[in-house]
Structure formats: C-alpha cells, structure tokens
Amino acid sequence: MGGRRLGDFSVAGGKSHLVSYLPAAQNRRLYMLFLCFIAGDLWGPLILCVLLSLMLQGGAANSDEDRGPQFAEVFVIVWFGAVVITLNSKLLGGTISFFQSLCVLGYCILPLTVALLVCRLVLMAGSGMASFIVRLLVVIAMFGWSTLASTAFLADSQPPNRKALVVYPIFLFYFVISWMILTFTE
C-alpha cells in the first residue's frame, strides 16, 4: 500500500515538472495529456490545492477578524472553477475527458502556488510600496505562466472556431486565484 502511494506521488511530481516549463513543444503537451489519460491523476492537483488553501488561510482561522479566505472557500473556488471550466470545454465540443481536464487545470496551479510562497516570503521581509510591486510582478508572471500552460494543453482539444470560448474562462479562473494571492496581506 505504501509503495502505491509513493508511486502516485512520483507521477504527480513528474506532471508538476511538465508544468514547471512552459509547454512550447508539441511532444510535451502530448506527454502531459497521455499521463492524464492513463492515470486520471488527481493527487497532484489535490496536494497543490490543499497547499494553496492552507497558505492563503494564514492566521485568519485563529482571529476574530475576517482578514482573508478560509480554507474551505479557497478549496471550493479552485475545484468549482475547474469543474465549470471542464464542463464548458465539454459542452463546446472538446475531446479531452472530464478528469483529464481537471488534472491539467489542477497541475497548472503550481506556478500560482509558487507565487503565493514567494509573496509570503516578501511579506515577511516587510510591507510597503516596494513589497507590493514585487508581489504584483511575481503574481502577474505566475498568472501568465499558469494561463499559458493550461491553455496550451486544453486549447488543442477544442474545435478551432471555439478556442477563445474556452480560453476566456481559464483566464478568469486563474485571475481570481491570482487576485486572492495578491490581496493576501497576513
């Protein structure tokens, strides 16, 4: 049983590695889709979503003030958003399966999770205008990275005349997550 979980985590690590490089080559997209076809892996996206939710929660659970999103709010926004994007893709005639799309969208949260980690470190160093500018630049870069990586994987599964209808919800999905990261000030 332990070997199976370790194998699942190594597959998740391999898929995260694919997202860590911008998917410029056609074979990288095909390999990512192949891994999602075979495994239907949701472990990696689950781990990334839990990390993102825990880091965004910060100390808000221990205080009386409503300073930021709670764990469940972030978790639901990520998974509900991914489900809506997946259903949109399927209704527009996409050829990728439901779980494959969830897998790709979940792994493409990796750059935003890294952005949140960097933003938290910048906030520990101090707050002010310089801190905000650094956080803004990091979040913009990682937002672009997540959007580009996910659209590179998912746009190929759509009919050519409907690609923009699939890309726009993906843009909004990662924008909302990026906004939560940027406005986090704990």
Side-chain angles (χ1 to χ4, degrees):
M1 184 76 166
R4 168 76 175 139
R5 269 189 241 138
L6 198 56
D8 287 343
F9 288 127
S10 72
V11 169
K15 290 179 191 172
S16 294
H17 174 72
L18 285 175
V19 174
S20 66
Y21 297 107
L22 287 177
Q26 179 69 21
N27 60 349
R28 187 172 291 132
R29 285 191 289 255
L30 292 175
Y31 181 66
M32 177 70 167
L33 290 175
F34 174 74
L35 287 176
C36 288
F37 277 125
I38 298 300
D41 171 45
L42 294 175
W43 279 109
L46 176 66
I47 292 167
L48 290 172
C49 182
V50 167
L51 285 173
L52 190 71
S53 299
L54 285 172
M55 286 192 291
L56 274 174
Q57 180 177 351
N62 299 331
S63 70
D64 294 332
E65 299 175 20
D66 185 23
R67 292 188 278 178
Q70 295 295 317
F71 177 88
E73 293 170 340
V74 176
F75 197 83
V76 167
I77 286 171
V78 169
W79 286 105
F80 183 73
V83 167
V84 167
I85 290 171
T86 300
L87 289 175
N88 179 51
S89 173
K90 292 302 287 178
L91 290 173
L92 289 172
T95 57
I96 191 169
S97 81
F98 184 81
F99 290 111
Q100 293 164 347
S101 179
L102 286 179
C103 178
V104 169
L105 289 167
Y107 276 110
C108 289
I109 291 177
L110 176 67
L112 291 174
T113 306
V114 171
L116 179 57
L117 182 63
V118 170
C119 288
R120 287 196 66 139
L121 292 173
V122 168
L123 281 172
M124 283 183 203
S127 61
M129 186 55 102
S131 170
F132 177 76
I133 291 172
V134 169
R135 290 184 307 137
L136 179 66
L137 293 175
V138 167
V139 169
I140 287 173
M142 296 304 178
F143 162 73
W145 194 335
S146 290
T147 304
L148 184 62
S150 62
T151 56
F153 290 123
L154 294 176
D156 288 343
S157 70
Q158 298 300 315
N161 60 341
R162 296 186 177 165
K163 287 186 181 189
L165 294 173
V166 173
V167 170
Y168 182 67
I170 293 171
F171 173 85
L172 288 178
F173 173 64
Y174 291 119
F175 179 79
V176 168
I177 296 170
S178 298
W179 186 258
M180 287 190 301
I181 292 169
L182 186 61
T183 58
F184 181 77
T185 58
E186 286 260 335

